[in-house]
């Protein structure tokens, strides 16, 4: 490491929109995308005199996130007022947690290029989202307060990330975790998961961190990577040319692929934090902890390890199958039917994932059930149909929704395994291709594939390829 001229230091602040039914301090529905300002009340509009009441479910979801990331859950935490003026924040302060956050001292283990590394989580706290400014209505701007008061969990890492790929891997892991926990949909594009990146560089081997800058508005993994790489280069150029790095906040401009300076970064003291007088401290007792734990699903890393051990899958296969909980559940339901983990894995990875990617749908939207796929696998494994036909039947099942057995019997797709029938085809192919037969016998073994292909065509694709192979070899090698 210290061979490098500069060391990069990165810390992330990630906001996850919690998918509670109602908002954090009122009972307005917590949904975004409805008609503007239809989901509001005096509390989330910040009208004077309106009093906040904490949504218990938001605390529960944040605690579960803390537990999943190995945090200490604070028995007592406290909301504070973070004062600032901005049109999307009518109270002129945001209710957030400050020096007494709900969760502290967690970690995430990431893997990049085969190396594992632990990234510390400083804290996770709860806060309310602000309204959303909508620009460009006849040159005017509007504010939609539907988003105001949606609960956010803010996850703050220690400055222990050392590169753009590590930052992306951390985020990918976090996104996977919130989705497994079913507390946030994890969509960066829609802003349900928002990532601010803090970056500094220092001479290789140094113990003193450099001045950091902040990037906001990174709404895809690609943007996070590009923004960080851009900023590292910018800071290197500044240092190399003898200039100073100043604490700034920048925005990533996705279309121009560059950073825009937004403002000098505010200091903590600018916010004049003080305890929120309208809310009592948040008390989390052991019953609450147990309630949160009770809903804890098997987490991605555990699931992956179990898939490797129980189903004898490779690291790669188990990783792919557990990216999404829904896909892992589908796979396990399929194995339950087929009792064949390896074959089931191949079907999910090749055909089903292929289909999901092509149609850009989630496994939850896939129309064929594990039972239907198991029936198809069984037909192929028992040799009733051959592999190419199985694939064709899969395509037809997708478009028609009918069962494999129905399709196979209606279209007469059963594999031809009768040696007599196959021999007739083989003899015909040999008779029709005397020249190739001669070349084969004179030391051109690769022509075998050509013969099998010809016979397969004659069978309408239904011949048993293994038997064809055997019969051809017998007839071509020792002609009678
Ligand atoms: P602030 O309140 O100013 O946002 P925090 O202490 O909350 O400061 O830190 C914000 C983020 O900045 C954290 O994710 C932390 O890891 C990161 N950070 C702190 N120091 C540095 C540094 N020198 N370089 C890069 N990131 C840093
Ligand atoms: Mg901060
Ligand atoms: Zn409200």
């Amino acid at each position: 490491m210290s061979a490098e001229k500069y060391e990069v230091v990165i810390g992330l602040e990630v906001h996850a929109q919690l998918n509670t039914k109602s908002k954090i301090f009122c009972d307005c529905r917590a949904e975004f995308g409805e008609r503007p300002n239809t989901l509001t009340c005096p509390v989330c509009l910040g009208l004077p005199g309106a009093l906040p009441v904490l949504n218990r479910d938001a605390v529960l979801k944040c605690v579960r996130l803390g537990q999943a990331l190995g945090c200490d859950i604070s028995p007592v935490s406290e909301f504070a007022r973070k004062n600032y003026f901005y049109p999307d924040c009518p109270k002129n302060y945001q209710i957030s947690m400050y020096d007494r956050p709900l969760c502290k001292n967690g970690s995430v283990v990431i893997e990049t290029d085969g190396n594992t590394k632990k990234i510390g989580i400083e804290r996770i706290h709860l806060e309310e989202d602000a309204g959303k400014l909508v620009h460009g209505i006849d040159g005017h701007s509007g504010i939609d307060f539907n988003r105001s008061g949606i609960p956010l969990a803010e996850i703050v890492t220690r400055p222990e990330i050392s590169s753009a790929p590590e930052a992306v891997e951390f985020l990918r892991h976090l996104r996977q975790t919130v989705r497994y926990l079913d507390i946030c949909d994890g969509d960066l594009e829609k802003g349900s998961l928002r990532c601010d990146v803090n970056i500094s560089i220092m001479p290789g081997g140094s113990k003193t961190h450099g001045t950091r800058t902040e990037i906001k508005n990174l709404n895809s993994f690609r943007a996070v990577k590009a923004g960080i790489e851009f900023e590292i280069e910018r800071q290197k150029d500044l240092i190399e040319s003898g200039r100073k790095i100043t604490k700034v906040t920048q925005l990533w401009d996705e279309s121009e692929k560059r950073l825009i300076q937004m403002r000098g970064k505010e200091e903590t003291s600018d916010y004049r934090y003080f305890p929120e007088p309208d809310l009592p401290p948040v008390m989390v007792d052991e019953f609450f902890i147990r309630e949160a734990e009770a809903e804890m699903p098997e987490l991605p890393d555990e699931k992956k390890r179990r898939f490797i051990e129980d189903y004898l899958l490779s690291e790669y296969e188990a990783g792919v199958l557990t990216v999404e909980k829904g896909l892992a559940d589908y796979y396990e339901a399929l194995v339950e039917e087929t009792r064949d983990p390896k074959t089931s894995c191949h079907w999910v990875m090749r055909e089903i994932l292929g289909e999901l990617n092509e149609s850009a749908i989630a496994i939850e939207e896939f129309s064929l059930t594990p039972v239907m796929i198991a029936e198809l696998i069984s037909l192929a494994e028992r040799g009733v149909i051959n592999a190419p036909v199985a694939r064709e039947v899969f395509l037809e099942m997708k478009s028609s929704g009918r069962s494999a057995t129905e399709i196979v019997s209606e279209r007469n797709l059963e594999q031809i395994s009768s040696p007599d029938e196959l021999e007739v085809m083989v003899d015909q192919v040999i008779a029709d291709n005397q020249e190739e037969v001669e070349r084969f016998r004179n030391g051109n073994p690769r022509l075998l594939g050509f013969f099998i292909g010809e016979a397969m065509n004659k069978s309408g694709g239904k011949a048993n390829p293994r038997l064809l192979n055997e019969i051809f070899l017998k007839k071509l090698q020792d002609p009678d």
Side-chain angles (χ1 to χ4, degrees):
M1 270 311 253
S2 37
E4 294 280 336
K5 189 162 180 199
Y6 295 106
E7 254 173 65
V8 174
V9 176
I10 299 171
L12 304 182
E13 293 165 281
V14 187
H15 289 89
Q17 238 175 28
L18 299 178
N19 58 5
T20 51
K21 284 210 178 61
S22 52
K23 294 184 178 181
I24 185 167
F25 298 126
C26 60
D27 48 22
C28 292
R29 258 198 305 135
E31 242 167 77
F32 204 59
E34 296 282 307
R35 232 161 57 77
N37 299 308
T38 51
L39 307 175
T40 58
C41 74
V43 173
C44 55
L45 287 173
L47 301 187
L51 288 175
V53 177
L54 179 58
N55 178 346
R56 188 174 184 275
D57 197 37
V59 183
L60 200 62
K61 285 183 162 159
C62 188
V63 166
R64 278 168 68 205
L65 178 59
Q67 289 169 333
L69 301 180
C71 293
D72 302 327
I73 311 298
S74 315
V76 185
S77 49
E78 185 179 66
F79 282 100
R81 289 190 180 180
K82 180 180 184 180
N83 296 281
Y84 68 94
F85 171 80
Y86 204 64
D88 63 9
C89 175
K91 299 194 295 288
N92 287 347
Y93 60 84
Q94 178 194 28
I95 303 180
S96 175
M97 286 172 163
Y98 178 50
D99 51 359
R100 303 179 81 187
L102 189 52
C103 315
K104 285 186 279 201
N105 302 325
S107 64
V108 162
V109 175
I110 57 164
E111 196 182 315
T112 46
D113 296 331
N115 301 316
T116 56
K117 177 173 174 184
K118 197 169 179 171
I119 308 294
I121 307 248
E122 180 85 40
R123 53 192 270 142
I124 306 176
H125 68 250
L126 273 174
E127 60 187 36
E128 58 179 341
D129 208 344
K132 188 179 168 65
L133 291 176
V134 185
H135 300 291
I137 308 159
D138 312 327
H140 298 281
S141 292
I143 312 176
D144 179 5
F145 286 107
N146 286 356
R147 198 178 71 179
S148 161
I150 290 187
L152 299 175
E154 177 171 346
I155 301 108
V156 182
T157 77
R158 300 223 166 88
E160 295 175 350
I161 296 168
S162 318
S163 68
E166 281 185 17
V168 169
E169 194 48 30
F170 175 88
L171 259 189
R172 201 198 53 70
H173 192 288
L174 183 63
R175 176 176 186 275
Q176 189 185 26
T177 304
V178 297
R179 288 177 59 83
Y180 262 68
L181 293 173
D182 192 20
I183 59 170
C184 167
D185 70 23
D187 194 325
L188 277 85
E189 269 91 8
K190 279 196 322 207
S192 326
L193 201 62
R194 290 170 232 158
C195 178
D196 300 342
V197 183
N198 298 274
I199 307 175
S200 66
I201 61 176
M202 60 186 179
S206 164
K207 294 269 173 286
T208 321
H209 286 168
T211 303
R212 74 178 196 261
T213 61
E214 190 181 33
I215 311 177
K216 289 182 179 291
N217 204 26
L218 296 161
N219 51 17
S220 69
F221 289 115
R222 217 164 7 91
V224 169
K225 182 160 180 288
I228 292 175
E229 283 166 353
F230 188 99
E231 177 59 11
I232 292 172
E233 286 313 307
R234 192 187 71 89
Q235 292 192 10
K236 279 184 188 167
D237 287 349
L238 282 175
I239 292 182
E240 303 269 307
S241 61
R243 280 174 291 170
K244 265 212 152 78
I245 291 165
T246 48
K247 232 179 161 186
V248 284
T249 295
Q250 307 177 87
L251 287 182
W252 176 247
D253 181 338
E254 180 60 32
S255 54
E256 298 282 319
K257 305 274 181 262
R258 67 187 184 92
L259 291 169
I260 300 167
Q261 305 265 328
M262 193 162 90
R263 55 173 187 245
K265 190 178 162 36
E266 49 291 275
E267 300 292 333
T268 304
S269 57
D270 295 338
Y271 291 124
R272 292 167 32 247
Y273 280 100
F274 62 86
E276 166 60 59
D278 290 340
L279 285 165
V282 182
M283 314 285 238
V284 173
D285 62 15
E286 78 187 84
F287 296 103
F288 195 90
I289 295 279
R290 267 191 250 137
E291 183 181 340
E293 266 169 3
E295 286 174 56
M296 186 65 64
E298 182 180 37
L299 293 169
D301 291 343
E302 288 169 63
K303 202 185 275 294
K304 182 175 164 188
R305 237 170 298 127
R306 181 168 63 79
F307 276 22
I308 295 172
E309 275 167 29
D310 290 3
Y311 303 135
L312 305 175
L313 302 181
S314 72
E315 180 91 23
Y316 173 72
E317 290 166 335
V320 172
L321 292 178
T322 55
V323 164
E324 293 282 342
K325 184 168 175 296
L327 188 70
D329 290 345
Y330 190 99
Y331 169 72
E332 290 206 276
L334 184 57
V335 173
E336 183 81 12
E337 295 293 323
T338 62
R339 303 268 154 203
D340 184 345
K342 216 53 194 190
T343 309
S344 302
C345 167
H346 293 154
W347 273 90
V348 172
M349 295 205 18
R350 288 188 203 141
E351 307 304 339
I352 298 179
L353 273 182
E355 163 63 15
L356 300 185
N357 287 336
E358 199 173 303
S359 308
I361 54 170
I363 188 71
E364 288 76 13
E365 301 163 85
F366 182 54
S367 59
L368 304 176
T369 63
V371 172
M372 294 173 83
I373 298 296
E375 186 182 310
L376 171 61
I377 292 178
S378 160
L379 291 174
E381 288 298 297
R382 285 185 289 124
V384 177
I385 52 177
N386 67 22
V389 168
R391 201 166 176 272
E392 199 184 312
V393 172
F394 174 74
L395 296 177
E396 183 159 341
M397 286 170 72
K398 261 180 8 194
S399 56
S400 69
R402 293 190 312 153
S403 84
T405 311
E406 253 173 59
I407 295 168
V408 168
S409 73
E410 189 184 289
R411 290 186 40 199
N412 277 321
L413 294 172
E414 287 90 352
Q415 171 162 257
I416 302 169
S417 293
S418 136
D420 293 346
E421 250 181 280
L422 293 175
E423 270 195 41
V424 174
M425 297 175 204
V426 168
D427 287 341
Q428 221 177 345
V429 170
I430 290 179
D432 291 350
N433 298 281
Q434 278 304 314
E435 208 176 296
E436 283 79 4
V437 170
E438 208 51 41
R439 279 168 51 209
F440 178 85
R441 288 180 175 143
N442 291 332
N444 224 326
R446 293 229 303 264
L447 278 166
L448 182 61
F450 162 74
F451 296 130
I452 293 174
E454 288 294 294
M456 193 53 97
N457 283 344
K458 284 196 189 305
S459 75
K462 297 188 298 182
N464 178 322
R466 190 178 50 79
L467 289 179
L468 274 186
N469 192 74
E470 270 173 30
I471 299 171
F472 265 117
L473 279 179
K474 200 175 87 211
K475 299 224 173 206
L476 289 167
Q477 279 164 353
D478 30 55
D480 22 347

